């Protein structure tokens, strides 16, 4: 087992390097960039996320723009740079690190990331780590509770549907699950706002943030109530489709196992239905559910919540990543990509170890890598 864990850990390094390399190459060919972003802000043509949200310190560069007499000689590789002093453009390139060739910039980024130095945001004047710390509580709140509720409801429901396969209960619950899966989460979120957040009917839930103003002054019990009051609608909107996948996966896994010979043998020996399900079938049937855990974990925390965060005014990691891409804030883009990829690899390893805990017959160390 130790050798297997060591091999998996060592494989993480080339995997992370490959992810960074491909992403870096793609960015080099992508149109626009932070220099053009600043130029667009100076000319009033900026339509990006920072302008829309009123944030970003990139506009400060405009105060230092000095039209030069040699405007016709300005570097033509930047759109909208005509009429600006070439020295100012050079200062912008140095500010963002683009005065160095691409290979040197990539090697420097790898060296910094190896020391977990992710630099500072181009437009927020804040370190990438600090930005993630500020946004992480929102994504953690959504991700943790969504996964807990999803698994605590979906797994027992999937088992019940497998036992009652073909019954009326199985039929109508499948219909409800499929309809829920077909409804986009953002559309359901808008419906919830219209119905329960003061849209057109009742005003039962708040529409913004995770806590109310003055939350820190509330008694401890009222803090808990207020927190769940704010998070109810976002969780319902996000968890609608999550129930379908896990429930049907659990049901199909249990159905496959229930029909096998060892289950018939256990019943013939006098085992109760509960002993058969949870003493024999459960471990084998849950393997495929565990296999999907890493993807569900990463998805719950770091993706798929962008529209929900926007609709309910939750400033989390999804919104941060989206705005960073729009703003060409490369330190935030690459820093979050590195951190999320590393967490995904670690969770994948934990999932494999959970395989062996659920079914001791599995031995990854005996496999050829």
């Amino acid at each position: 087992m130790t050798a297997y864990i060591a091999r998996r850990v060592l494989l993480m390094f080339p995997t992370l390097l490959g992810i960074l390399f491909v992403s870096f190459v793609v960015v080099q060919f992508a149109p626009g960039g932070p220099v053009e972003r600043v130029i667009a802000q100076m000319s009033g043509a900026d339509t990006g996320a920072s302008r829309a949200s009123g944030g970003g310190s990139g506009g400060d560069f405009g105060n230092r723009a000095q039209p030069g007499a040699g405007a016709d000689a300005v570097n033509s590789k930047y759109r909208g740079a005509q009429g600006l002093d070439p020295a100012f453009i050079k200062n912008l390139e140095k500010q963002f690190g683009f005065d160095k060739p691409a290979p040197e910039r990539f090697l420097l980024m790898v060296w910094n990331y190896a020391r977990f130095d992710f630099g500072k945001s181009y437009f927020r004047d804040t370190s990438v780590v600090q930005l993630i710390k500020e946004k992480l509580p929102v994504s953690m709140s959504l991700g943790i509770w969504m996964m807990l509720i999803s698994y605590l409801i979906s797994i027992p429901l999937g088992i019940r549907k497998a036992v009652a396969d073909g019954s009326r209960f199985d039929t109508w619950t499948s219909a409800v699950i499929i309809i829920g899966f077909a409804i986009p989460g953002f559309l359901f979120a808008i419906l919830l706002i219209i119905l329960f957040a003061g849209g057109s009917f009742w005003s039962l839930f708040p529409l913004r943030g995770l806590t109310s103003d003055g939350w820190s002054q509330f008694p401890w019990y009222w803090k808990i109530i207020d927190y769940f009051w704010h998070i109810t609608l976002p969780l319902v909107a996000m968890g609608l489709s999550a129930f379908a996948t896990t429930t049907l996966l659990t049901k199909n896994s249990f159905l496959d196992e229930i029909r096998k010979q060892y289950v018939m043998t256990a019943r013939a020996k006098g085992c109760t239905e509960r002993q058969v399900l949870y003493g024999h079938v459960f471990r084998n049937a849950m393997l495929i559910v565990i296999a999907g855990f890493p993807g569900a974990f990463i998805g719950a925390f770091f993706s798929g919540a962008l529209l929900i965060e926007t609709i309910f005014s939750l400033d989390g990691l999804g919104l941060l990543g989206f705005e960073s891409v729009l703003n060409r804030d490369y330190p935030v883009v690459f820093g979050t990509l590195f951190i999320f990829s590393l967490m995904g690899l670690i969770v994948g390893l934990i999932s494999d170890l959970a395989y062996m805990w659920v079914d001791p017959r599995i031995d990854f160390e005996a496999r050829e890598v």
Side-chain angles (χ1 to χ4, degrees), residues 85 89 92 99 179 193 203 206 216 228 261 282 295 315 327-328 360 368:
D85 188 349
I89 301 299
L92 282 182
D99 56 329
I179 293 173
I193 290 174
S203 182
S216 59
F228 282 105
Q261 184 65 39
F282 185 82
D315 194 8
N327 293 334
R328 303 299 192 268
E368 294 291 335

Side-chain angles (χ1 to χ4, degrees), residues 45-120:
D46 178 33
T47 58
S50 64
R51 173 173 286 266
S53 62
S57 58
D60 295 340
F61 289 106
N63 298 328
R64 288 178 278 170
Q66 298 294 333
D72 293 337
V74 75
N75 196 334
S76 60
K77 66 181 179 179
Y78 299 114
R79 291 178 300 174
Q82 290 76 12
L84 296 178
D85 188 349
F88 173 69
I89 301 299
K90 292 291 185 182
N91 287 335
L92 282 182
E93 291 181 331
K94 185 176 181 180
Q95 176 80 19
F96 296 123
F98 289 99
D99 56 329
K100 303 180 180 67
E104 183 179 346
R105 284 187 280 123
F106 176 73
L107 292 176
L108 180 61
M109 181 179 68
V110 171
W111 168 246
N112 289 335
Y113 283 16
R115 298 179 290 119
F116 291 93
D117 179 8
F118 304 108
K120 296 177 64 175

Side-chain angles (χ1 to χ4, degrees), residues 255-318:
L255 279 178
D256 289 341
E257 294 298 323
I258 288 173
R259 294 165 180 166
K260 291 183 178 178
Q261 184 65 39
Y262 74 89
V263 175
M264 298 176 61
T265 304
R267 286 171 174 163
K269 289 182 177 180
C271 294
T272 65
E273 194 65 20
R274 184 178 183 84
Q275 289 174 329
V276 170
L277 285 176
Y278 296 100
H280 298 275
V281 175
F282 185 82
R283 285 192 171 188
N284 296 328
M286 289 305 295
L287 287 176
I288 193 170
V289 177
I290 292 174
F293 178 79
F297 180 88
I298 297 300
F301 275 78
F302 307 121
S303 66
L306 168 61
L307 292 175
I308 301 299
E309 290 180 5
T310 303
I311 291 171
F312 290 100
S313 300
L314 301 174
D315 194 8
L317 292 174

Side-chain angles (χ1 to χ4, degrees), residues 127-263:
S127 70
V128 174
V129 173
Q130 184 61 36
L131 276 174
I132 293 176
K133 287 181 179 179
E134 292 174 0
K135 313 298 183 182
L136 189 59
V138 173
S139 295
M140 285 184 64
S141 294
L142 295 176
I144 290 177
W145 286 113
M146 191 187 77
M147 287 202 64
L148 282 176
I149 295 173
S150 174
Y151 274 80
L152 289 176
I153 295 178
S154 298
I155 291 177
L157 179 59
I159 297 173
R160 179 71 178 87
K161 285 174 63 62
V163 173
D165 183 41
S167 65
R168 293 180 61 185
F169 172 82
D170 180 43
T171 301
W172 72 260
T173 53
S174 294
V176 172
I177 289 172
I178 292 173
I179 293 173
F181 183 76
I183 299 175
F186 73 91
L187 187 61
F188 190 62
I190 296 174
L191 176 63
L192 291 175
I193 290 174
I194 294 174
L195 292 177
F196 303 112
S200 299
F201 294 89
W202 304 281
S203 182
L204 302 178
F205 294 94
L207 187 57
R208 180 179 299 274
L210 289 180
T211 57
S212 301
D213 294 336
W215 182 81
S216 59
Q217 307 300 323
F218 294 169
W220 66 268
Y221 57 88
W222 195 253
K223 287 183 178 179
I224 297 175
I225 295 174
D226 182 77
Y227 168 75
F228 282 105
W229 183 46
H230 280 75
I231 207 173
T232 297
L233 293 187
L235 280 181
V236 172
M238 287 182 63
L240 186 66
S241 61
F243 288 111
T245 303
T246 310
T247 300
L248 296 180
L249 186 64
T250 303
K251 175 194 172 182
N252 293 332
S253 298
F254 268 80
L255 279 178
D256 289 341
E257 294 298 323
I258 288 173
R259 294 165 180 166
K260 291 183 178 178
Q261 184 65 39
Y262 74 89
V263 175

